[in-house]
Amino acid sequence: MFSRLCLAVWFVLHLSGCAVYQQPVDSSKKAYGHTTQLVLPEGVFETVAVESEHDIFTLDDVQKQQFLAFFYAAERQHVPSHKRLYEYLEASIEGFHYRGETYNARHAYHSNEGNCLSLAILTTSLAKLAGLEVEYQKVNAPPVYQRHGDLLTISSHVRTFVYQSDFESPDGSVVLRKPRMVIDYFPQRGNISGGQVTYHDFVSMYYQNLAAEAMVENENHTAYSLLKRAHTISPRNPETLNSLAVLHRRAGYENAALQIYRYAQQHSAGSVNLISNFATLLEKQGDKDGAANLRESIQHIEDDNPYQWLDIGEAHLSKGELRLATKYFSRAVENAPYLHEGHFGLAKAYLSLGKTGHAHKALKKAYELAAFTPEQHLYQAKLSILETRY
């Protein structure tokens, strides 16, 4: 956990692929009045051809025929439509191999591999062929960090719901939700359900991921073109705007990056990554007060991922900023009161503040929640030490 405290040192990008996305709002819509168009500086990057949204979800003819033959087979018509799709995925891509790369539907189907976003794209493609409704949900999981020179990528997780198309509610009954199947590539302990992800944000994730891969390879024109496409699809998506700003800053166009960050402040819901990177740039330019104000504002961002707040809490704790550390650990507890890590973070912050009673209460809660985990023995030992002082 302590190794994550240096996030602000590098340019931080968010990846969606096995790991979803940050905002449950639809970033393609205008929630702040009239949204002016982001004007990017000309002559910095060339625009190159990138994959269309249609192509992302298009399977080849053989792949379509294989699925439709299975889905419409007479012997399977007694199976509800959403379960038929699930069974096809289960049978045809058994042993789907996890890879960090993001693939379109054709590639994921053919190679039987990809990250969780790739599987969600393939699921969406099959659902479209069958006329089934899909939705996407953010899954909060311990993030995966990868450092590539001056870039630090943070992965998150998304899963897909496929709904039964031919469902009819019994007469006189009220049905709150149609039957559905969950397509989740990497379910594991510690995963916490998050907010809904809109279709526009889902598609923008694909381009964001490819852009991040291009940036790692210093293919800046490709990265720029992918991010422009993502921004067109979901104009208020904060992670797209963050990536655009990082791209310009890395290329030496800091004023352009500032312009993008200020646009994002006005026209997006913001994200922890975006505000952190913005603050780092202001600090580099000598605006320490502006950077400090931005870091204070992070606490007001709507993010239901407790692991995000745990990381920020640890970062402030390591720098002795105990008041902020307490706030962020409290946000983690607020979003996931059953995670022992948040209570342990609060215990450490309270103890450093000299609030022994509060620290004891938080540590005791962490101990209770950590049952049958390796951390429980650590908490027990610290409780014993603390109780000799308390």
Side-chain angles (χ1 to χ4, degrees):
M1 189 70 75
F2 290 99
S3 63
R4 300 175 186 171
L5 57 88
C6 297
L7 294 183
V9 175
W10 301 293
F11 304 104
V12 185
L13 297 180
H14 183 273
L15 291 178
S16 304
C18 254
V20 145
Y21 180 62
Q22 313 263 55
Q23 303 297 330
V25 299
D26 187 343
S27 299
S28 67
K29 295 181 179 178
K30 303 172 184 177
Y32 296 87
H34 178 66
T35 302
T36 57
Q37 185 176 2
L38 172 64
V39 179
L40 294 169
E42 297 182 0
V44 178
F45 303 109
E46 297 176 9
T47 301
V48 301
V50 297
E51 190 174 18
S52 70
E53 178 181 342
H54 176 267
D55 286 343
I56 295 171
F57 300 100
T58 300
L59 298 171
D60 65 36
D61 290 340
V62 173
Q63 292 168 341
K64 291 177 184 177
Q65 291 168 9
Q66 288 174 342
F67 170 67
L68 293 175
F70 179 97
F71 189 81
Y72 288 110
E75 66 271 18
R76 294 190 181 91
Q77 294 312 295
H78 67 286
V79 179
S81 56
H82 63 315
K83 290 186 178 180
R84 269 180 274 155
L85 185 147
Y86 179 87
E87 289 175 358
Y88 182 77
L89 281 171
E90 189 175 46
S92 62
I93 61 171
E94 183 178 359
F96 191 86
H97 299 293
Y98 168 72
R99 288 181 60 88
E101 288 82 358
T102 302
Y103 297 135
N104 62 27
R106 287 187 306 282
H107 191 146
Y109 188 112
H110 175 73
S111 63
N112 202 31
E113 63 185 17
N115 57 22
C116 68
L117 186 61
S118 305
L119 180 59
I121 287 169
L122 175 56
T123 301
T124 302
S125 181
L126 297 176
K128 284 183 176 182
L129 281 176
L132 303 181
E133 177 188 355
V134 297
E135 287 183 349
Y136 314 99
Q137 184 185 42
K138 170 184 174 184
V139 178
N140 297 318
V144 177
Y145 296 88
Q146 287 189 301
R147 185 174 157 190
H148 312 271
D150 62 352
L151 285 176
L152 183 69
T153 59
I154 307 174
S155 294
S156 63
H157 187 71
V158 60
R159 65 183 179 184
T160 311
F161 296 118
V162 181
Y163 288 88
Q164 181 178 349
S165 60
D166 49 3
F167 174 74
E168 295 182 3
S169 58
D171 293 338
S173 64
V174 177
V175 177
L176 299 178
R177 185 179 64 205
K178 291 191 294 185
R180 64 184 185 180
M181 297 296 294
V182 181
I183 312 297
D184 192 355
Y185 180 70
F186 223 44
Q188 58 184 328
R189 182 178 179 181
N191 286 0
I192 301 166
S193 296
Q196 182 181 354
V197 179
T198 67
Y199 173 79
H200 292 99
D201 281 338
F202 174 70
V203 176
S204 73
M205 292 175 196
Y206 179 81
Y207 292 108
Q208 288 170 30
N209 280 14
L210 295 187
E213 294 171 10
M215 288 170 69
V216 168
E217 299 299 326
N218 291 315
E219 298 172 355
N220 292 339
H221 302 301
T222 299
Y224 175 74
S225 303
L226 289 163
L227 291 172
K228 276 190 67 176
R229 181 64 59 87
H231 179 62
T232 300
I233 292 169
S234 188
R236 291 180 49 249
N237 189 304
E239 298 304 340
T240 298
L241 294 168
N242 175 58
S243 296
L244 275 168
V246 168
L247 177 65
H248 282 80
R249 184 183 169 192
R250 290 180 81 225
Y253 296 90
E254 291 190 352
N255 288 336
L258 284 174
Q259 175 188 339
I260 295 167
Y261 282 133
R262 292 193 173 109
Y263 174 91
Q265 265 192 311
Q266 296 177 19
H267 301 294
S268 81
S271 76
V272 173
N273 298 329
L274 185 147
I275 298 300
S276 297
N277 283 340
F278 188 9
T280 300
L281 180 54
L282 287 183
E283 197 166 52
K284 180 177 181 291
Q285 295 197 333
D287 187 358
K288 293 185 177 180
D289 290 340
N293 289 336
L294 279 175
R295 292 189 174 113
E296 282 277 352
S297 73
I298 289 176
Q299 62 187 293
H300 302 299
I301 290 174
E302 292 298 322
D303 191 328
D304 60 9
N305 188 344
Y307 298 105
Q308 184 84 276
W309 300 116
L310 284 172
D311 275 357
I312 303 172
E314 291 288 0
H316 285 289
L317 183 64
S318 71
K319 293 187 289 187
E321 297 168 350
L322 303 178
R323 180 181 60 84
L324 285 175
T326 302
K327 284 187 176 183
Y328 295 127
F329 286 131
S330 296
R331 286 294 300 272
V333 169
E334 177 185 333
N335 283 296
Y338 40 82
L339 282 182
H340 59 83
E341 293 93 338
H343 298 278
F344 182 53
L346 274 176
K348 291 186 290 184
Y350 284 139
L351 191 59
S352 296
L353 286 166
K355 298 182 178 181
T356 311
H358 287 79
H360 180 269
K361 181 178 178 182
L363 187 55
K364 187 174 181 182
K365 186 66 175 178
Y367 170 77
E368 292 170 354
L369 292 170
F372 310 113
T373 69
E375 289 83 1
Q376 189 176 44
H377 298 294
L378 170 66
Y379 299 159
Q380 177 63 70
K382 291 185 177 295
L383 265 176
S384 299
I385 296 171
L386 189 57
E387 286 171 351
T388 61
R389 307 176 188 173
Y390 180 55

